[in-house]
Amino acid sequence: MTTHPVPAGTAHGDPATIRLSVLDQSPIGEGQSAADALRTTVTLAQYAEALGYHRYWLAEHHESRSFAGTAPEVLTGLLLQSTARLRVGTGGILLPRYHPDKAAETMTLLRRLHPGRVDVGIARGGGPSADFGDRLQRLYQRLTEPGTGATADAGEPVGNLWLLGAGGSTAPLAGSLGAGYAFGHFFAPRNGPTAVAEYRRHLRAGSSPSTVLAVRAVTAEDPRHAAALAQAMLLWRARKDLGHDGPIPTPTTAARHIWTPEERAQAAMHRPTILHGTPEQLHVHLASLARAHRATEIMINTLAASPEDRMASYELLAARFRTALPQMIPALT
């Protein structure tokens, strides 16, 4: 069973205008512990900063054997302390689980400690969301009060607030607040252009659109290795859908796996959400997606059992997108 690689072709426009960022779910690889995954998150953030990535967001997951990141605001503070220039933020806080005042106070504290570097990413998941709009409005008010560190950073949305979405219902809310909008392509790849259009249609007067496209992708110099890494991600996703929430398998495990009909059906559904190929192929496809979503920034989510494979993928993408690449790359520790 194979996944489809990204198509080859020629990109239109200057790839240097596209910013690259990282979405890290702190994945637990096969044979690793949650503590291992969290240590890799710290190392990867430092690595991403050295490679010139723009921002680094931490996801929130609970009771998961796949992901170790349960408190993105805690990890945000740790990574801000562990890096010097990288924008760091929550991607995102599951607002239905928390009182908006507490979320605002936590992120305001971080902004005061690290001015100009903190993003507040908010998601609707995590619980009943009927009052999400009210909670969001309260959070916005608290984040933009005088003295909270809300800044008008160049190219950043009002209050450095971002809303995460995949189906379009969050997009109008983001626009009405003048917040940024991050679309999760790996949740619903076909909904993106429509959701982004809704975001722009509802954009508050005087606000500039800020759109990030979050994709699940992996690359390697050898296209066969890239395909094997994508296959392992696809196996993890299919099994998770069927109730087996486990670590990210290695390519070897995926190659030896005997797929059930149910797993094959789930894999077929998710195949378009996992992009892979050589750096050149992936660059072409990502640049095309960015144009289709009117996004100037792509946030890469890479799930691999091996930290070395993840970091190699981010390095190759950084080089291909002409992101500043230092002479000395920090060693993996």
Side-chain angles (χ1 to χ4, degrees):
M1 186 174 201
T2 59
T3 55
H4 293 314
V6 299
T10 302
H12 300 286
D14 184 1
T17 64
I18 300 175
R19 286 173 165 170
L20 289 184
S21 294
V22 176
L23 172 61
D24 188 0
Q25 296 170 307
S26 301
I28 302 171
E30 182 180 326
Q32 299 167 16
S33 67
D36 293 331
L38 294 172
R39 283 190 287 268
T40 296
T41 284
V42 176
T43 302
L44 181 55
Q46 295 168 333
Y47 200 70
E49 180 172 74
L51 291 170
Y53 280 79
H54 180 57
R55 71 179 93 238
Y56 196 104
W57 282 0
L58 293 314
E60 178 174 343
H61 294 273
H62 298 279
E63 300 178 358
S64 172
R65 295 183 61 233
S66 302
F67 304 129
T70 56
E73 70 282 8
V74 174
L75 286 174
T76 294
L78 175 62
L79 297 192
L80 286 165
Q81 199 68 30
S82 303
T83 57
R85 300 177 304 279
L86 197 65
R87 293 194 69 93
V88 185
T90 57
I93 292 174
L94 303 180
L95 193 58
R97 298 178 69 98
Y98 309 105
H99 194 288
D101 285 2
K102 178 58 177 176
E105 288 169 354
T106 299
M107 301 310 293
T108 292
L109 185 151
L110 292 175
R111 292 199 308 200
R112 287 170 176 161
L113 289 171
H114 302 277
R117 294 183 58 204
V118 180
D119 294 331
V120 184
I122 300 296
R124 186 189 289 269
S129 59
D131 63 344
F132 180 74
D134 294 336
R135 286 172 174 261
L136 184 62
Q137 186 65 43
R138 175 64 179 177
L139 176 71
Y140 173 81
Q141 291 171 351
R142 292 299 307 274
L143 286 173
T144 55
E145 289 173 351
T148 59
T151 57
D153 299 327
E156 299 297 329
V158 175
N160 305 123
L161 176 65
W162 295 80
L163 269 63
L164 285 58
S169 61
T170 303
L173 289 174
S176 66
L177 292 175
Y181 182 59
F183 178 78
H185 172 273
F186 56 92
F187 287 118
R190 296 179 181 177
N191 295 346
T194 300
V196 171
E198 280 296 288
Y199 164 66
R200 287 175 169 264
R201 188 167 73 86
H202 288 85
L203 193 64
R204 190 173 74 176
S207 299
S208 298
S210 300
T211 306
V212 165
L213 178 65
V215 301
R216 182 162 284 157
V218 66
T219 189
E221 291 180 333
D222 182 351
R224 293 171 298 181
H225 188 50
L229 291 168
Q231 185 78 342
M233 275 193 273
L234 199 58
L235 175 59
W236 162 79
R237 180 70 255 187
R239 297 179 76 185
K240 183 177 176 65
D241 285 351
L242 296 170
H244 181 78
D245 183 16
I248 312 301
T250 65
T252 299
T253 295
R256 294 174 176 172
H257 182 71
I258 299 175
W259 293 71
T260 67
E262 293 79 10
E263 288 170 344
R264 290 180 182 276
Q266 292 301 314
M269 181 174 63
H270 289 291
R271 189 170 291 111
T273 71
I274 300 176
L275 312 179
H276 71 89
T278 65
E280 291 75 19
Q281 290 173 327
L282 200 54
H283 162 261
V284 169
H285 196 49
L286 293 177
S288 176
L289 283 174
R291 287 194 301 273
H293 292 79
R294 304 178 72 179
T296 57
E297 183 172 344
I298 299 175
M299 185 166 280
I300 307 295
N301 173 252
T302 300
L303 305 180
S306 164
E308 290 85 356
D309 280 332
R310 289 177 72 204
M311 294 186 184
S313 181
Y314 283 115
E315 180 182 344
L316 289 168
L317 276 180
R320 189 63 188 86
F321 273 83
R322 303 176 187 171
T323 309
L325 197 61
Q327 293 296 317
M328 297 298 293
I329 301 297
L332 174 64
T333 58

